[in-house]
Amino acid sequence: MVSNSFAMLLIIFFILLGVEGMPSEAAVPFATAILLVIAVCEVMIYYFWKRTTFTFLDSEIYVLRDTVSRNEKHIQYAKLASVNVRRGWVNLLFGTATLTFNVNSSINSGVPEASLCLKLDEANRLREELSAMIFNKEMVIDEDNLVETLAHVSNRDIILHGILGQPTSQFIFGGLMLLYAIAMALVGSGSGVITALIFLMFSEVVPRVSTIMRYYNYRIYRVDDTITVESGMFTKYRSSFNINKINSVRIREPLFARILGKATLEAEVVGMANDNNIPILCPLKARDEVFVVMRNICPELHFESEVRKQPRGAMVPMLVSGIVTTIMVEVFLMAISFIIYPEVPGPSLIFFQSCILVAIIVIPAVVFIRVILAQKNRDFDIGTDSFRFTYGAYDLVTEYVNYDKVQVVRVSAGPLQRRFGVSRCKVSLMSSAGATTITSGLFAPDDLEDVFKIVMGRISDGRYDYRKYY
């Protein structure tokens, strides 16, 4: 009730911030209306809590909310991807923990199917019993705390992860907002500066601080086929999932992290994207260490391979695509400059002209360098139980995908790509955030077609066994 009330009061607070210049005679009725809304909300929060019950049966969790309308949920243990423990500031204050039940489905990938707040000892006991059913093993938290972590991550690494582990696009957007704030300050628009600073705050500062707080005190270990991740500065997170629930693992190297030789390791586990965070198997560490962590945590997906780089024929289609994109962007910038140019006051004219000139020079260079990096770094290979795509240019991603989790394989080529004998492969599968598509670089079509041949072959000869993932 305290958590829900806090969210409601926060909304009311922002509403009050937007109320300006209210006549004095309207203040009392307005305050009365606000207090009435708070009272009604509190009654509704209590009523919904009072009329919601959880029943743990032999094969499922039965959740009943008998309020204005009757809502029933049947959550089968076999369908659960995880039972997570979260301890926010309210839980710490009252000595409780919140259990979240995540179903192995993309429908509610970012939201748990159900949440239950209990006293800490009761929550831990219940989680241990449910984990024994889900993972077919006894999971005693006190014993698991003695298991050595597979990734030795310091809090300094977490801070570095929060700063450099974000996509380069976020850095660029933050830089643009900073330039926009400077431009508005020169023009003399106070509201424009505030707007830019707000965007900068929510695009750069808030995500980084929340990431640091989310993964502080990080620890990961594996017992049999169960992987457990623990972290949190104030809010404590504890998530466990079976290795067979992993659809793919991703080694991600943002540009600035790659310059320092660092990378992160992520997993696609359907039903695990709580608070829009997919499971991090290793925060930002040295690239070689990340590969070691992957081999230790997910040896089922890792394989030693001979790297297949993009053929020379891929260069021309990428260059032509880059040139077309550059021309379109340049024309757009010039059109914008002609529209805005007469409106720019004298003191800001030099700054405006400088920005347009820099953009006209930098954009072609950025596109050309992107083509060079893509040709140099993209690769592809197939293994026994998984295949690997390395894609991206400035930000590189190396992804190992389980053949048995692939839903659609699409190999396609445009007119220019066909002329140079290359194609692109798009693989669709379920992910932590719902459905996703992984796109390869440009390779020979015969090589890419091996992916769906192996997928179908595993189904035909019986190597694919659905019961292993049920």
Side-chain angles (χ1 to χ4, degrees), residues 134-397:
I134 299 170
F135 306 116
N136 295 319
K137 67 179 288 291
E138 296 295 332
M139 293 187 64
V140 180
I141 292 179
D142 292 338
E143 296 178 2
D144 283 358
N145 286 336
L146 302 178
V147 179
E148 185 179 359
T149 180
L150 294 176
H152 297 280
V153 180
S154 66
N155 288 331
R156 178 179 175 276
D157 293 327
I158 297 299
I159 295 174
L160 198 62
H161 173 81
I163 297 173
L164 300 179
Q166 308 300 319
T168 304
S169 58
Q170 286 195 6
F171 281 93
I172 294 175
F173 183 77
L176 292 176
M177 287 300 101
L178 183 59
L179 288 175
Y180 179 71
I182 295 173
M184 290 299 101
L186 292 175
V187 171
S189 174
S191 60
V193 174
I194 294 175
T195 301
L197 291 177
I198 290 175
F199 275 114
L200 182 64
M201 175 69 67
F202 283 97
S203 67
E204 290 290 313
V205 179
V206 173
R208 281 161 173 70
V209 172
S210 62
T211 297
I212 292 171
M213 294 174 63
R214 172 70 171 79
Y215 292 107
Y216 213 73
N217 299 321
Y218 182 88
R219 182 169 174 264
I220 183 171
Y221 56 91
R222 176 173 175 174
V223 178
D224 298 331
D225 290 335
T226 302
I227 298 172
T228 301
V229 178
E230 299 176 353
S231 64
M233 180 183 291
F234 301 111
T235 299
K236 303 299 180 182
Y237 299 88
R238 180 185 175 89
S239 303
S240 297
F241 52 92
N242 194 288
I243 185 66
N244 289 331
K245 300 293 186 182
I246 296 179
N247 293 350
S248 68
V249 291
R250 179 187 307 120
I251 298 172
R252 193 167 55 83
E253 301 173 73
L255 176 62
F256 297 107
R258 188 153 61 91
I259 293 173
L260 300 177
K262 295 182 179 293
T264 64
L265 181 64
E266 303 172 349
E268 289 291 1
V269 185
V270 178
M272 287 291 294
N274 276 329
D275 303 322
N276 297 320
N277 285 285
I278 67 174
I280 299 290
L281 301 184
C282 183
L284 200 67
K285 296 282 289 184
R287 190 173 186 273
D288 293 339
E289 293 183 44
V290 171
F291 272 98
V292 171
V293 172
M294 179 192 167
R295 287 197 296 268
N296 292 335
I297 294 179
C298 304
E300 293 84 353
L301 295 181
H302 180 268
F303 63 92
E304 300 294 339
S305 63
E306 296 181 2
V307 176
R308 307 185 196 181
K309 291 293 186 180
Q310 285 191 156
R312 291 183 180 271
M315 279 291 291
V316 175
M318 289 194 301
L319 277 172
V320 171
S321 175
I323 291 171
V324 171
T325 302
T326 300
I327 292 174
M328 293 175 62
V329 174
E330 297 284 359
V331 170
F332 175 77
L333 285 176
M334 294 180 67
I336 291 295
S337 65
F338 282 118
I339 294 173
I340 299 179
Y341 186 85
E343 305 296 330
V344 179
S348 305
L349 185 60
I350 296 177
F351 177 80
F352 175 75
Q353 291 175 332
S354 301
C355 290
I356 294 295
L357 181 62
V358 169
I360 291 175
I361 296 173
V362 168
I363 288 174
V366 169
V367 172
F368 181 75
I369 294 172
R370 180 182 180 277
V371 172
I372 300 298
L373 292 175
Q375 179 67 15
K376 176 184 177 182
N377 295 315
R378 292 178 183 176
D379 60 50
F380 155 72
D381 203 5
I382 58 176
T384 304
D385 298 312
S386 65
F387 61 93
R388 187 196 68 238
F389 284 161
T390 299
Y391 52 92
Y394 292 102
D395 291 0
L396 273 187
V397 178

Side-chain angles (χ1 to χ4, degrees), residues 52-71:
T52 302
T53 59
F54 284 70
T55 305
F56 296 87
L57 305 173
D58 292 336
S59 60
E60 67 177 16
I61 305 172
Y62 173 61
V63 184
L64 172 63
R65 173 166 287 178
D66 190 8
T67 54
V68 178
S69 61
R70 184 182 177 91
N71 182 284

